[in-house]
Amino acid sequence: MLPGSLQDEITLPDGTAVLVRPITPADAGALVALHARLSADTIYRRYFGARPHLSPADVDRFTRIEGRARFALVAARGTDLVAVTRYEGRPGETSAELAVVVDDALQRQGVGRLLLGRLFDVARVAGQEVLVADVMAGNAGMLGLLRRLALPGRRESDGDTVTITFDLTALELPPDRADRARGHLARAGVDVPPS
Ligand SMILES: CC(C)(COP(=O)(O)OP(=O)(O)OC[C@H]1O[C@@H](n2cnc3c(N)ncnc32)[C@H](O)[C@@H]1OP(=O)(O)O)[C@@H](O)C(=O)NCCC(=O)NCCS
């Protein structure tokens, strides 16, 4: 079976399944709808400020994968998006910034951890060496989630923001996780070197 045809699902505590897949431009409407459902607090923690609407330019950028430099995974229930995680770097560089957001109604059910874990695997397979997370110092949820991932990371803080720098070269992927990550990259049409 080609890696791109593998299906990736997360099962929620209530037993329902959520599909994990790369974002596509066809998700534009669903991304706008997810943003419209987010609480002001969730938006503030994700974007470091108020952002009542996503601009058309944001939606365009957020729904386009760019080779190995910019990638996003979504958790989808039917045509609805319930979570998005992304990394973004510059083409040709091996360092990128990460972000994640989960629909308020589904927070604290394991979606963020499972989705972000997969994003780390994708970044590793895509050849990223460093992922950086900028987190508001009071964002206990994100800081807890990053701790829970238990990956080696350097932590710095200027008081308002905690910056955690993860060294992906230290991440040894078991074959099943590497295959799953390759599947996501293949589905998005991103070429990666053979393992
Ligand atoms: C941060 C966020 C992504 C976490 O996603 P989530 O799906 O709710 O988190 P999970 O259920 O996967 O939690 C994983 C672990 O993170 C920690 N955690 C998550 N939410 C937490 C909270 N509110 N307080 C403390 N720890 C928390 C816990 O250790 C948790 O494991 P446990 O439930 O077994 O104890 C989500 O709350 C969110 O979208 N927040 C707003 C946007 C944001 O802050 N984005 C990050 C900006 S870079």
Side-chain angles (χ1 to χ4, degrees), residues 166-187:
F166 293 96
D167 173 10
L168 293 194
T169 63
L171 181 59
E172 292 288 341
L173 289 190
D176 59 327
R177 279 172 48 190
D179 283 350
R180 187 171 62 196
R182 283 182 181 281
H184 286 309
L185 286 156
R187 190 165 294 148

Side-chain angles (χ1 to χ4, degrees), residues 109-120:
Q109 297 189 46
V111 176
R113 180 171 58 81
L114 292 171
L115 201 59
L116 191 58
R118 283 157 165 77
L119 187 81
F120 271 83

Side-chain angles (χ1 to χ4, degrees), residues 38 41-43 45-48 98-103 106-114 133-136 139-148:
L38 296 177
D41 188 48
T42 287
I43 290 176
R45 289 169 194 272
R46 164 63 180 87
Y47 295 103
F48 286 62
L98 71 82
V100 56
V101 71
V102 177
D103 197 327
L106 286 183
Q107 288 179 12
R108 215 61 204 262
Q109 297 189 46
V111 176
R113 180 171 58 81
L114 292 171
D134 279 329
V135 186
M136 293 172 89
N139 189 349
M142 186 61 179
L143 293 172
L145 167 56
L146 291 173
R147 245 193 321 274
R148 187 83 148 68

Side-chain angles (χ1 to χ4, degrees), residues 39-148:
S39 67
D41 188 48
T42 287
I43 290 176
Y44 191 72
R45 289 169 194 272
R46 164 63 180 87
Y47 295 103
F48 286 62
R51 198 154 177 168
H53 308 288
L54 295 178
S55 69
D58 288 336
V59 175
D60 187 61
R61 197 174 99 235
F62 291 161
T63 54
R64 276 180 209 282
I65 285 169
E66 284 260 334
R68 299 186 215 165
R70 186 203 294 160
F71 197 92
L73 284 176
V74 299
R77 214 163 33 178
T79 54
D80 283 344
L81 300 187
V82 297
V84 184
T85 187
R86 52 189 294 103
Y87 68 74
E88 181 155 357
R90 293 213 180 90
E93 294 190 357
T94 54
S95 169
E97 266 190 50
L98 71 82
V100 56
V101 71
V102 177
D103 197 327
D104 288 74
L106 286 183
Q107 288 179 12
R108 215 61 204 262
Q109 297 189 46
V111 176
R113 180 171 58 81
L114 292 171
L115 201 59
L116 191 58
R118 283 157 165 77
L119 187 81
F120 271 83
D121 293 356
V122 167
R124 175 76 171 108
V125 170
Q128 293 290 342
E129 295 180 355
V130 169
L131 278 187
V132 180
D134 279 329
V135 186
M136 293 172 89
N139 189 349
M142 186 61 179
L143 293 172
L145 167 56
L146 291 173
R147 245 193 321 274
R148 187 83 148 68

